[in-house]
Amino acid sequence: MRIVVTGRDGQVAASLLEAGQSRADVDVVAIGRPEFDLARPDTIIEVIAETEPDIVVSAAAYTAVDQAEDEPDMAFAVNATGAGKVAEAAARLGVPVIHLSTDYVFDGSAPGAYVETDATAPLGVYGASKLAGEQAVAAAGPRHLILRTAWVYSPFGRNFVKTMLRLAADRDEIAVVADQWGNPTSALDIADAILHAAARLPRNKELAAFGTYHLAGTGETNWSGFARHILDTSLAFGGPWARVRDIATMDYPTKARRPANSRLSSAKFASVFGWNAPDWRLSTEAVVRRLLTGETKQALTA
């Protein structure tokens, strides 16, 4: 099975490439700039067609949440128009598309974990552009999986785990927001879930398994709790450590508003595909261990 993933330098693409290397039944091909560019729709269909995919994973995105407030046209060009073109290319080729979306499609006002049928209400440009992307993907054809995830980290690229480790190397104390809650999600686990689901989609002749799902780490915490677990794990492996001081969102102003509640229920995905994410603490420990002791140690400076 050939899986073509967009966004060659992204966390999910890198994780899929790594996972594919250990499996004889999967050939993962990543495409990205300059030959493939979501901001240039004319490049999308031709480049994807040349790869001859069995499944397309649409992981490339404009993810600069604050910058999107100043660049709404670019955010929508990539996250909405570009995502729609990727889905159109998959539909033309007669193959399913798996599209990555975000918790930012919600406003964070729900009292508990969001389910797929809850009303969407993005707080900013980034979330609005990703919601428009979901709609474009769904309109392109019925054979789609839209996977909303949250608080993504990995040994690759830029993410919260690597930021905390870098800051702890230079500081005794780090102030971290304590009134935003969510499910930390390892891109390594997302890749595993995608491969698990992808293996079942080609055999699914009906459309029941297609649609929108939440896919996030098991368990919940706030940003400061996430930071403490990262740094405590780092200390256990001889890495940097710092005290974490709780602050409120109002003490750390950002251009774009963040949802106070990003908790996602992944029960639907577990029920349909028989896959559950590990506890977020275990997945975090695995990534921190790799960054400090494994082959991705040098990535701390990226």
Side-chain angles (χ1 to χ4, degrees):
M1 178 173 58
R2 171 167 287 185
I3 297 176
V4 174
V5 56
T6 68
R8 185 160 42 209
D9 299 324
Q11 296 188 77
V12 171
S15 298
L16 272 171
L17 283 169
E18 181 180 84
Q21 291 172 358
S22 63
R23 295 181 50 157
D25 60 333
V26 174
D27 176 24
V28 179
V29 177
I31 55 177
R33 292 180 292 184
E35 65 273 13
F36 173 89
D37 189 344
L38 288 182
R40 294 173 51 215
D42 57 297
T43 69
I44 293 175
I45 292 178
E46 181 178 353
V47 173
I48 291 178
E50 288 175 352
T51 63
E52 300 181 343
D54 295 305
I55 292 178
V56 175
V57 176
S58 176
Y62 180 110
T63 58
V65 176
D66 291 315
Q67 192 172 334
E69 298 298 310
D70 295 324
E71 297 181 340
D73 291 344
M74 178 59 72
F76 273 86
V78 172
N79 291 342
T81 305
K85 290 297 182 182
V86 170
E88 287 178 20
R92 287 193 189 185
L93 295 170
V95 301
V97 61
I98 300 176
H99 176 70
L100 274 293
S101 190
T102 174
D103 55 303
Y104 277 48
V105 300
F106 298 112
D107 65 7
S109 63
Y114 282 96
V115 297
E116 290 80 357
T117 54
D118 284 332
T120 53
L123 294 175
V125 171
Y126 169 70
S129 68
K130 291 295 290 182
L131 179 58
E134 291 186 9
Q135 294 164 347
V137 169
R143 301 185 72 205
H144 63 265
L145 286 187
I146 295 170
L147 304 179
R148 294 174 180 151
T149 190
W151 295 22
V152 178
Y153 65 92
S154 72
F156 313 108
R158 297 180 179 179
N159 56 70
F160 186 76
V161 170
K162 293 169 73 173
T163 296
M164 290 299 102
L165 293 175
R166 187 179 69 250
L167 292 177
D170 298 324
R171 304 181 187 181
D172 295 326
E173 183 178 87
I174 306 172
V176 184
V177 169
D179 55 359
Q180 295 176 21
W181 292 79
N183 315 97
T185 311
S186 170
L188 302 177
D189 294 335
I190 295 173
D192 185 57
I194 288 173
L195 293 178
H196 183 89
R200 286 149 179 79
L201 289 179
R203 296 195 297 272
N204 182 10
K205 301 303 181 183
E206 304 197 2
L207 299 177
F210 292 99
T212 299
Y213 294 83
H214 293 169
L215 178 63
T218 297
E220 62 187 49
T221 188
N222 55 22
W223 283 113
S224 63
F226 189 17
R228 285 190 179 90
H229 189 65
I230 292 165
L231 298 178
D232 288 347
T233 301
S234 173
L235 181 64
F237 284 97
W241 182 87
R243 293 184 302 276
V244 175
R245 176 167 56 88
D246 291 358
I247 61 172
T249 296
M250 67 174 61
D251 298 323
Y252 187 73
T254 56
K255 182 164 289 189
R257 295 171 60 197
R258 268 72 170 171
N261 174 26
S262 283
R263 291 173 289 187
L264 302 177
S265 169
S266 302
K268 178 183 174 183
F269 188 89
S271 174
V272 173
F273 293 105
W275 187 94
N276 286 283
D279 185 281
W280 70 269
R281 298 170 187 83
L282 297 177
S283 294
T284 301
E285 290 163 12
V287 169
V288 171
R289 183 171 61 248
R290 280 188 55 172
L291 287 168
L292 294 176
T293 66
E295 67 275 17
T296 51
K297 185 175 182 179
Q298 297 304 315
L300 277 173
T301 59

